[in-house]
Amino acid sequence: MKSLRIPSALGLLFRPCAANPIVAASIRAQTRWAHTNPPTEFSPPPRVPPTTPFVPDVETFLTLIGRDLKQHASKFPTWEALFTMSTSQMKELGVEPARRRRYLFRWLHHFREGRFGPGGDLLYVENGVAKLDILKTEKDAFLTLRHVVNVPPGKGVDEVPREQLARPKGYKVVRNSAVSGPYALPSKGGGAIIKVTEGMWEWEQGRKIDGGERRQAEVRFKRRVAERKAARERQH
C-alpha cells in the first residue's frame, strides 16, 4: 500500500495558485519582500568602519568614488551618518538618481570589508598626499631587491625603521629607479607621490544598448517589425 504524502502547512502557504495568477503573483511578491526587506526594528544597525589615513572623512570618500557624489558631501554631517543612512533617507536628502544611490551603497559595503581602491592601504598621508619611496635590500654582492614603500611626509626611506614602512599594493619599481602604479606621480626628491583625485576609485558604467536590459526585447522587436514593413514597401 502506497504511503500518502501530506503536504506541510508551510508548503501550502507559499505554493503559488496556478488557477489564480493574481494570487500567485501576490504570494511571490510577499516572499521577495520578506527576504529583501527585513523589519528594521529587528535588523542590526549597519557597521561603521573606521576611517583610514587616505580616507579621513566623508568628502574624501565621495571624491574618490566619483560619479559626482562629491556634491552631496554636505548632506552627511558625520562619517557615521554616511554608513548608517537608509536609501529612503538619502532619497529625501536629494541623492538622485536611484542608480547613484545603489552605486554608493555598493562602495559602502566594499569599504566595510576593507576592499579599497588605489592607495587605500597607505599609512602615511598628509593633506591628501602620500609619499612613496624605494627600499633597497641587498641579498648578496650580485642581487639587490627593490620594493615600493610608503614613508612619512618629510622623511626618507633610510630615516624610518623598516618595520614601520608600509608596502602599498599595486605599485612596483621599474627601471630600478622609478615607481609605477595607479596615480603615481614622479617626485622631485625621488620616488613618487599619490594625491587624492576625484574619481580615482570610480567604477566604469555599463553602456545601455537598445534601451537597456528591461526594454531591450521590446526595442528590438519594434525594430524588426519596422524593418519588415519597410522591406514589404520596397517590394511593392
Side-chain angles (χ1 to χ4, degrees), residues 4-235:
L4 298 177
R5 293 180 59 190
I6 302 177
S8 65
L10 187 62
L12 291 173
L13 177 62
F14 289 99
R15 184 176 63 188
C17 179
N20 192 334
I22 298 179
V23 174
S26 176
I27 292 176
R28 288 194 297 269
Q30 292 176 16
T31 305
R32 287 196 302 269
W33 182 89
H35 282 285
T36 58
N37 297 281
T40 55
E41 60 268 24
F42 297 109
S43 57
R47 185 176 70 86
V48 180
T51 58
T52 66
F54 198 63
V55 190
D57 50 42
V58 173
E59 184 175 359
T60 303
F61 177 76
L62 297 181
T63 299
L64 289 170
I65 64 176
R67 300 273 179 100
D68 294 326
L69 283 164
K70 179 182 177 181
Q71 61 179 316
H72 301 293
S74 60
K75 298 173 182 177
F76 303 99
T78 63
W79 181 258
E80 290 73 16
L82 174 65
F83 280 85
T84 55
M85 278 190 184
S86 64
T87 182
S88 57
Q89 290 172 325
M90 290 187 183
K91 183 177 181 180
E92 291 178 0
L93 291 176
V95 182
E96 295 285 359
R99 64 176 176 272
R100 187 171 295 175
R101 293 196 301 273
R102 289 194 296 268
Y103 174 75
L104 174 56
F105 271 95
R106 287 197 299 269
W107 253 117
L108 294 176
H109 176 68
H110 274 245
F111 199 91
R112 285 190 184 97
E113 295 186 337
R115 292 188 284 172
F116 311 129
D121 55 351
L122 295 170
L123 295 183
Y124 305 108
V125 184
E126 184 178 39
N127 298 324
V129 181
K131 178 74 166 60
L132 300 182
D133 209 335
I134 299 175
L135 174 65
K136 299 179 182 179
T137 304
E138 294 185 0
K139 302 296 292 185
D140 53 42
F142 304 98
L143 178 62
T144 301
L145 300 180
R146 294 173 173 82
H147 302 288
V148 177
V149 292
N150 175 211
V151 297
K155 291 189 177 182
V157 68
D158 298 327
E159 303 176 57
V160 183
R162 293 202 169 193
E163 61 273 12
Q164 297 181 12
L165 296 173
R167 290 184 59 181
K169 296 179 181 179
Y171 297 88
K172 61 183 180 179
V173 181
V174 294
R175 296 187 298 276
N176 294 333
S177 60
V179 175
S180 175
Y183 294 90
L185 303 174
S187 177
K188 291 182 179 179
I193 59 172
I194 301 176
K195 295 182 179 180
V196 171
T197 307
E198 184 170 3
M200 66 186 298
W201 289 7
E202 184 173 349
W203 298 336
E204 292 185 4
Q205 287 184 288
R207 295 186 302 110
K208 287 188 175 182
I209 301 176
D210 293 338
E213 294 181 1
R214 294 184 180 180
R215 297 189 56 225
Q216 191 177 82
E218 178 185 357
V219 170
R220 292 182 179 180
F221 172 76
K222 290 181 177 179
R223 181 186 299 164
R224 288 193 297 268
V225 170
E227 289 174 353
R228 288 195 295 267
K229 182 178 179 181
R232 288 195 299 268
E233 290 177 354
R234 287 195 299 267
Q235 292 176 359

